[in-house]
Each structure stands twice: as structure tokens, then as C-alpha cells.
């Protein structure tokens, strides 16, 4: 199963991708988490990446493609993956198509989790993240339930940067909805409501795809 998950920052991509990863036994690949790790590692590349992340701007395509290609070539991606946060622009999607072609792979679906911009800002400003495993928790949670360490606020989860990320999303990522709709890959999912309900909506649509495939 090769999936892409998209949606506004705060839509719950990371949370749903982690559940899908467990359900289908495929790795959850978050480009945002990879860039935050690279930023935390220090050095010249870290400084370059920080310039973009800290302003809510997109990291340049060449850097993104290089990091994604290296990750998809790893052994654990053999049976599939779920990409969270990539592609983010039409040019990234075109480069991704080319990369998949070169690797002889095909995407099964693009899940678009839909929430309103107001709900997105509210969730981003309230949420906290585990500094160890990067899991995201809604406001009011103090510790990671897996790592049992205190949660922290992501540097780019303040209100001005969140609003900037929403504008960047609307301008640069929204055109991807049409890009994938035209290719018959788009699954639009209502993303408000309890986490498990959203997950069941996604599973129902994926199972529908699998049934269509069996029936030919
Ligand atoms: P995310 O965790 O997906 O919200 O990503 C956090 C930040 O990482 C973004 O605001 C960008 O600066 C950077 N980033 C993550 N994925 C990409 C991508 N596919 N293209 C460009 N920048 C990205």
C-alpha cells in the first residue's frame, strides 16, 4: 500500500498516518519530522533548513526530493509507505511521479483530510509534540503516552507561524488536490470529530478501493 496523506497543518495527518502505518504495517514518513531532526542535528545544513522551517516557508525542492528518495530506497519501504507532508507543491508531485516511475512503483491513493482554517489554527496553537517520537497530542496532554516524557511545543506551532503555514498551504499545496483528482487517486475525508471516527472514514474508503481492485 503506497499512500500520501495531505491536509492543512493541524488536520491530523501525523496522527492518522501513524494509525495507518500500524494498520497496514508500512512506515510513516514525515518530511517535516525528518527536517526537524536534521535541524536539531546542527551544522551548515541544519542552519539552512532552520531558515525555512522557522519562517513557515517551504524547504527548496532539491533538498526535499533528495531526502525523500534516500528514504524510499530503504528496505522497510519495499511493501509500501505512507508519506506525510510530501509532496507539497505541483512541482514536487511531478518530480515524485518521475521518481516512482524510475523505481517501478505506483501510488495507490492520496488521502486529503479536510478541516476548516479556523479549526486548524486552534489545533496548532493548542497542540504539543513528543520531543522523542514526534507524536502530536491535543492541548491539555502533558506526557507522551508511549515515551512517558513531558511534551513540548514545536517552534513553528505559534499563531503567526501557523497562519503563515496556512497561507503557504493554500497557495502552494491546494493545487495538488486537482492534480491528484484528475489522476483518480484522491480520497477526500472529513477531518473533524474524534480521531477514531476520522480513521474509520479513511479505512472505509481504502477498503472500498481494495474491493474495487479485487472486482476488477
Ligand atoms: P510539517 O511537519 O509537515 O508541518 O512540516 C514542517 C515544515 O517542514 C514546513 O513548514 C516546511 O518548512 C518543511 N517541510 C516539510 N515537508 C516539506 C516539503 N514537502 N516541502 C518543503 N518543505 C517541507
Amino acid at each position: 500500500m503506497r499512500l500520501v496523506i495531505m491536509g492543512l497543518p493541524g488536520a491530523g495527518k501525523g496522527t492518522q498516518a501513524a494509525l495507518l502505518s500500524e494498520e497496514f504495517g508500512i512506515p510513516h514518513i514525515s518530511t517535516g519530522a525528518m527536517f526537524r531532526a536534521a535541524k536539531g542535528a546542527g551544522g551548515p545544513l541544519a542552519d539552512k533548513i532552520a531558515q525555512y522551517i522557522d519562517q513557515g516557508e517551504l524547504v527548496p525542492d532539491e533538498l526535499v526530493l533528495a531526502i525523500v528518495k534516500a528514504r524510499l530506497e530503504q528496505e522497510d519501504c519495499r511493501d509500501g509507505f505512507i508519506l506525510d507532508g510530501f509532496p507539497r507543491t505541483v512541482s514536487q508531485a511531478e518530480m515524485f511521479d518521475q521518481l516512482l516511475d524510475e523505481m517501478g512503483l505506483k501510488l495507490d491513493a492520496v488521502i486529503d483530510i479536510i478541516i476548516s482554517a479556523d479549526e486548524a489554527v486552534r489545533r496548532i496553537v493548542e497542540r504539543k509534540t513528543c520531543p522523542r517520537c514526534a507524536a502530536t497530542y491535543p492541548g491539555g496532554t502533558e506526557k507522551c503516552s508511549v515515551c512517558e516524557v513531558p511534551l513540548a511545543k514545536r517552534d513553528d506551532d505559534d499563531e503567526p507561524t501557523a497562519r503563515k503555514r496556512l497561507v503557504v498551504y493554500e497557495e502552494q499545496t491546494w493545487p495538488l488536490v486537482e492534480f491528484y483528482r484528475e489522476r483518480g487517486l484522491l480520497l477526500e475525508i472529513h477531518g473533524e470529530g474524534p480521531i477514531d471516527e476520522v480513521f474509520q472514514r479513511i479505512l472505509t474508503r481504502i477498503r472500498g478501493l481494495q474491493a474495487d481492485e479485487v472486482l476488477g
Side-chain angles (χ1 to χ4, degrees), residues 100-112:
L100 288 173
D101 266 358
E102 284 164 14
M103 296 177 82
L105 302 176
K106 197 174 77 50
L107 209 54
D108 292 293
V110 174
I111 299 160
D112 183 19

Side-chain angles (χ1 to χ4, degrees), residues 31-32 35-36 52-53 56-59 64 85-86 88 92 154 156 165:
T31 46
F35 285 130
R36 281 188 290 282
Y52 298 99
I53 296 189
E57 302 275 0
L58 295 185
V59 173
V64 184
F86 174 89
R88 256 317 209 270
Q92 286 184 10
R154 246 171 74 171
D156 59 346
R165 283 156 64 208

Side-chain angles (χ1 to χ4, degrees), residues 138-196:
T141 323
E142 295 304 328
K143 266 190 182 176
C144 175
S145 58
V146 179
C147 310
E148 297 200 333
V149 295
L151 299 177
K153 199 76 201 135
R154 246 171 74 171
D155 290 345
D156 59 346
D157 274 354
D158 59 293
E159 184 161 349
T161 317
R163 290 206 180 273
K164 167 75 186 176
R165 283 156 64 208
L166 291 185
V167 170
V168 169
Y169 191 92
E170 285 170 13
E171 289 175 356
Q172 307 207 42
T173 309
W174 259 347
L176 275 185
V177 171
E178 283 315 312
F179 182 93
Y180 284 121
R181 198 198 309 280
E182 280 168 13
R183 284 161 177 73
L185 288 171
L186 193 71
L187 301 181
E188 289 178 292
I189 307 288
H190 175 52
E192 294 186 21
I195 290 170
D196 194 52

Side-chain angles (χ1 to χ4, degrees), residues 120-128 137-141 153 157:
V121 173
R122 191 186 61 74
R123 289 188 190 179
I124 293 171
V125 171
E126 284 180 1
R127 76 181 178 184
K128 286 191 177 170
Y137 291 86
T141 323
K153 199 76 201 135
D157 274 354

